[in-house]
Amino acid sequence: MTLPADTDRLDRFLLPHAGVRGVRVHLHETWQRIAASEAYPAAVGGTLGEAVAACALFTAHAKVDGRLSVQLRGEGPMRALFAECTAQGTLRGLAHFDPAAAQAAGPDLRRLAGDDAVMAITIENPGPGRDPTRYQGLVGMAAAGLAEAFETYFRQSEQLPTRLLLTTTDHSCAGLMLQKLPGDSGDDDGWNRANALFDTLREDELQAWTSEQLLRRLFAEEEAQPLGGRALAFGCSCSRERVEGVLMSLGHEEAMAATAQHGHAEVRCEFCGQSYMFDPAEVDALFTDAPVPMAAPDRLQ
């Protein structure tokens, strides 16, 4: 498959006559790094790639000084999914699933995640104190795919008419999002024209075209205006200090017991595969050298 020259990027644009703003995301090396963490069945990997692309798309127009994440929890073959894009343009993601059941479920999100699954879009920005300022919106799983589910969310919860095309292959994932500008921007038929053009775009074209080709071939009559963009890359926020916090949250006795079988405690990050090892003396020192226990996260992030 031919990849565009401007992969691993986010690019914003404007359709001034239609009163529509847009953003295109294409990920190759970033997606390869995320997908390499697990042997994902096609349906799970496809959904994860779409969620990763969507995360990046959503940061284009939302105020994100910290991170934006998409998280799904359900009782279906794909029990959980997490994707995140930070203000620095780093991305990561993973999914938990039952291999046999996920293969049989197919790509329909309602079967893959389960009827009662809920997806959350969360923005965490630095707050005035230690805790971040958090905004969260919930997405129901009444749709067969992520794009349709997100379109419904923006239309109903944000009152923003939105179109999304999300696509994943073994090599890359990509996304295109159009949103009507708030207010009365654009002419009366602008949103309808933008929708009609959007509907002509195929997934393989979104995967293969550069941002410049997309604007020239799809929106030439709308005199699309590029608004700049930024590079995207894989990035993980795990660290030895975070793992120390996880071990301390277990308590001294349980943390020491974790070293008994192999002579050391090992914690592996699910996002990047980095392993952190602690021998018994290092584990003991976490408790004996610190007069006040550190606050610990409930999971490795």
Side-chain angles (χ1 to χ4, degrees):
M1 178 179 178
T2 301
L3 294 169
D6 58 349
T7 187
D8 294 293
R9 277 192 59 83
L10 175 155
D11 288 287
R12 297 165 53 243
F13 60 90
L14 179 68
L15 308 181
H17 305 306
V20 173
R21 62 188 180 185
V23 55
R24 170 259 194 190
V25 161
H26 194 284
L27 302 169
H28 169 54
E29 290 184 5
T30 305
W31 170 235
Q32 292 291 295
R33 185 69 177 82
I34 292 171
S37 65
E38 182 66 70
Y40 290 114
V44 176
T47 303
L48 177 59
E50 291 180 5
V52 170
C55 265
L57 289 171
F58 299 159
T59 64
H61 302 310
K63 180 175 173 54
V64 180
D65 297 324
R67 59 182 183 174
L68 183 149
S69 64
V70 168
Q71 186 169 7
L72 178 147
R73 292 194 181 277
E75 300 298 327
M78 185 175 69
R79 303 183 301 275
L81 178 147
F82 180 88
E84 174 189 272
C85 184
T86 70
Q88 292 73 40
T90 61
L91 289 147
R92 61 178 183 166
L94 59 81
H96 293 159
F97 59 95
D98 177 275
Q103 288 280 11
D108 190 308
L109 191 59
R110 294 163 296 191
R111 294 183 59 192
L112 189 62
D115 293 335
D116 297 328
V118 174
M119 182 170 288
I121 302 174
T122 306
I123 297 174
E124 295 182 8
N125 289 327
R130 292 183 59 187
D131 295 328
T133 300
R134 182 177 286 106
Y135 166 81
Q136 187 174 81
L138 299 180
V139 181
M141 290 293 103
L146 280 185
E148 183 183 350
F150 287 133
E151 287 178 356
T152 301
Y153 166 77
F154 280 108
R155 184 174 63 252
Q156 295 180 351
S157 300
E158 306 291 333
Q159 284 78 54
L160 271 178
T162 301
R163 295 298 310 275
L164 277 163
L165 179 61
L166 302 170
T167 174
T168 305
T169 70
D170 292 340
H171 304 285
S172 58
C173 59
L176 176 67
M177 181 170 71
L178 298 184
Q179 283 186 328
K180 191 177 188 307
L181 287 169
D184 297 323
S185 300
D187 57 56
D188 293 340
D189 194 47
W191 179 245
N192 292 332
R193 291 199 312 275
N195 267 273
L197 293 169
F198 180 94
D199 286 336
T200 67
L201 180 65
R202 303 193 310 267
E203 291 185 4
D204 63 319
E205 292 172 334
L206 180 58
Q207 288 277 3
W209 288 353
T210 65
S211 181
E212 187 274 333
Q213 288 173 325
L214 178 71
L215 298 189
R216 175 166 48 83
R217 296 181 182 183
L218 193 63
F219 299 117
E221 295 182 3
E222 294 294 330
E223 299 180 2
Q225 299 177 0
L227 298 179
R230 59 174 176 166
L232 300 171
F234 174 81
C236 188
S237 60
C238 72
S239 68
R240 191 172 182 84
E241 290 72 22
R242 286 180 178 268
V243 177
E244 289 174 354
V246 172
L247 290 173
M248 292 184 71
S249 71
L250 299 176
H252 185 263
E253 184 177 348
E254 188 174 347
M256 290 299 295
T259 69
Q261 184 175 0
H262 300 291
H264 63 265
E266 181 177 359
V267 179
R268 178 180 178 273
C269 176
E270 292 184 274
F271 291 99
C272 67
Q274 175 69 45
S275 290
Y276 299 89
M277 295 188 182
F278 297 79
D279 62 32
E282 290 173 322
V283 172
D284 187 57
L286 294 176
F287 297 90
T288 58
D289 291 351
V292 179
M294 296 169 56
D298 59 359
R299 63 180 176 86
L300 180 59
Q301 298 182 340

